[in-house]
Amino acid sequence: MRVLVTGGAGFLGSHLCERLLNEGHDVLCVDNFFTGSKRNIAHLMNNPYFEVMRHDVTFPLYVEVDQIYNLACPASPVHYQHDPVQTTKTSVHGAINMLGLAKRLKARIFQASTSEVYGDPEVHPQPESYWGKVNPIGIRSCYDEGKRCAETLFFDYYRQHNLSIKIARIFNTYGPRMHPNDGRVVSNFVVQALKGEDITIYGEGLQTRSFCYVDDLIEGFLRLMKSEKEITGPINLGNPGEFTIRELAERVIGLTGSKSNLVFRALPQDDPKQRQPDIKIARETLGWEPLIALDEGLNKTIRYFDELLSSSNVD
């Protein structure tokens, strides 16, 4: 098939492009390179079935494809708070433009949503039926509410135009090709540990997260996209293993052999206290669950960042 991946040069997008090419598809990677990097897709450039287009999804796109994966949007607080208005436009206008394209082509379309639609949850772990507790006017709202609105648009197109939609709610994911300066907890901790710098923990480090290795997540994407039309989602994709932020820091120090110390800073506004997916629906409908343990995934991620920092090729 001819497959369009928006945000295809990003962390998740580049892994998805690679996997789709390995399955024999023609892949059109669309990215405006705000957070995506040509380095992430450089190894794919000589593949005759891979094409790159610099484009911002807030503007309409006219191409001919069979499937669309809509991953375009900065996903870390550092990046999405840099230009919050543009972040909301990317989620909302981008969804409208990609849904319009899918409608014209009668193509199946996948939306990369997020666990942030649950906000600072009062239900734990979070099932898809939980509507969330989100601050609509906070500093994270451009991302949280943008993604919630995108889900609304997807379901309205599904109901109004009988469009074939798939929505995945992505929980914390990590692995090679994360941006070293994206402010996310795994990349932060690994880079600080490898540099021998203090590891920065916000709050007391007792807030919890669940960490899914990127290969497991991409497998979930593909299974959801291949599922029957009536399986629309939203479906949680993430690792149900739950760790405190302090536990993660201590694991990274142990695996890197770093002498870094832990330092504590004030907790940012609206930072969720708990985050853990209920993946019962993914298990039952897709036969999917994560297979890669945290230490195994962290070791692969540490090797990637170690090589990156050893070269001078860090943006």
Side-chain angles (χ1 to χ4, degrees):
M1 286 187 290
R2 298 163 298 176
V3 184
L4 165 63
V5 180
T6 72
F11 164 46
L12 298 180
S14 63
H15 284 276
L16 177 60
C17 288
E18 186 173 52
R19 181 70 185 273
L20 289 167
L21 288 167
N22 289 341
E23 293 199 349
H25 301 297
D26 271 311
V27 176
L28 173 58
C29 166
V30 168
D31 208 297
N32 69 351
F33 296 101
F34 172 57
T35 57
S37 169
K38 290 181 181 177
R39 181 179 61 242
N40 289 340
I41 53 172
H43 65 296
L44 305 176
M45 297 300 285
N46 291 328
N47 189 318
Y49 300 102
F50 182 68
E51 185 179 356
V52 182
M53 178 187 297
R54 183 186 287 270
H55 180 82
D56 188 321
V57 295
T58 61
F59 298 95
L61 179 63
Y62 302 100
V63 294
E64 304 299 317
V65 293
D66 303 304
Q67 288 188 343
I68 301 167
Y69 286 84
N70 186 37
L71 275 61
C73 189
S76 73
V78 167
H79 290 143
Y80 67 63
Q81 291 170 16
H82 172 74
D83 188 345
V85 172
Q86 186 63 26
T87 296
T88 303
K89 284 183 176 179
T90 301
S91 286
V92 178
H93 292 186
I96 291 168
N97 288 329
M98 290 305 109
L99 286 162
L101 177 62
K103 178 189 169 190
R104 178 176 71 81
L105 299 173
K106 296 181 174 57
R108 177 168 288 182
I109 181 168
F110 173 102
Q111 168 66 8
S113 191
T114 173
S115 63
E116 297 303 322
V117 300
Y118 300 122
D120 190 3
E122 296 169 315
V123 174
H124 190 73
Q126 294 80 57
E128 292 86 347
S129 58
Y130 176 53
W131 289 356
K133 178 193 170 192
V134 175
N135 176 1
I137 58 170
I139 59 173
R140 301 169 67 104
S141 306
C142 58
Y143 184 69
D144 302 2
E145 295 287 38
K147 289 289 191 178
R148 285 163 71 96
C149 185
E151 287 195 12
T152 300
L153 286 161
F154 266 68
F155 271 92
D156 286 338
Y157 267 78
Y158 168 71
R159 287 183 287 257
Q160 190 171 336
H161 302 296
N162 195 32
L163 198 63
S164 180
I165 65 166
K166 305 289 179 179
I167 298 176
R169 289 180 177 163
I170 302 166
F171 284 69
N172 289 59
T173 306
Y174 70 100
R177 299 184 210 147
M178 294 183 82
H179 196 292
N181 301 316
D182 67 3
R184 292 192 232 193
V185 65
V186 172
S187 50
N188 263 9
F189 286 1
V190 170
V191 169
Q192 288 171 337
L194 289 172
K195 289 182 173 180
E197 299 173 351
D198 290 340
I199 289 183
T200 308
I201 293 178
Y202 295 98
E204 297 178 2
L206 300 179
Q207 65 271 39
T208 66
R209 296 291 184 270
S210 304
F211 302 102
C212 184
Y213 188 68
V214 61
D215 290 354
D216 282 333
L217 186 78
I218 299 304
E219 176 66 25
F221 283 10
L222 296 172
R223 291 195 189 194
L224 177 55
M225 196 60 146
K226 292 172 184 174
S227 63
E228 298 299 319
K229 184 177 179 179
E230 62 270 15
I231 300 173
T232 59
I235 290 183
N236 289 339
L237 294 179
N239 194 317
E242 186 181 18
F243 299 88
T244 68
I245 296 301
R246 182 159 188 157
E247 282 178 309
L248 176 68
E250 290 167 349
R251 286 200 180 208
V252 168
I253 288 173
L255 292 171
T256 56
S258 175
K259 304 296 183 185
S260 296
N261 297 310
L262 304 183
V263 295
F264 298 86
R265 300 282 184 266
L267 199 64
Q269 179 187 335
D270 298 329
D271 193 60
K273 298 177 190 68
Q274 293 179 307
R275 184 70 84 232
Q276 182 188 20
D278 180 332
I279 63 167
K280 180 181 178 182
I281 292 178
R283 283 190 174 114
E284 291 179 352
T285 61
L286 307 179
W288 177 88
E289 62 182 336
L291 301 176
I292 297 173
L294 182 61
D295 282 1
E296 180 186 352
L298 284 175
N299 276 322
K300 294 179 179 182
T301 308
I302 289 164
R303 282 197 296 273
Y304 168 78
F305 278 114
D306 195 27
E307 291 174 8
L308 190 67
L309 293 171
S310 298
S311 71
S312 58
N313 195 19
V314 180
D315 348 274

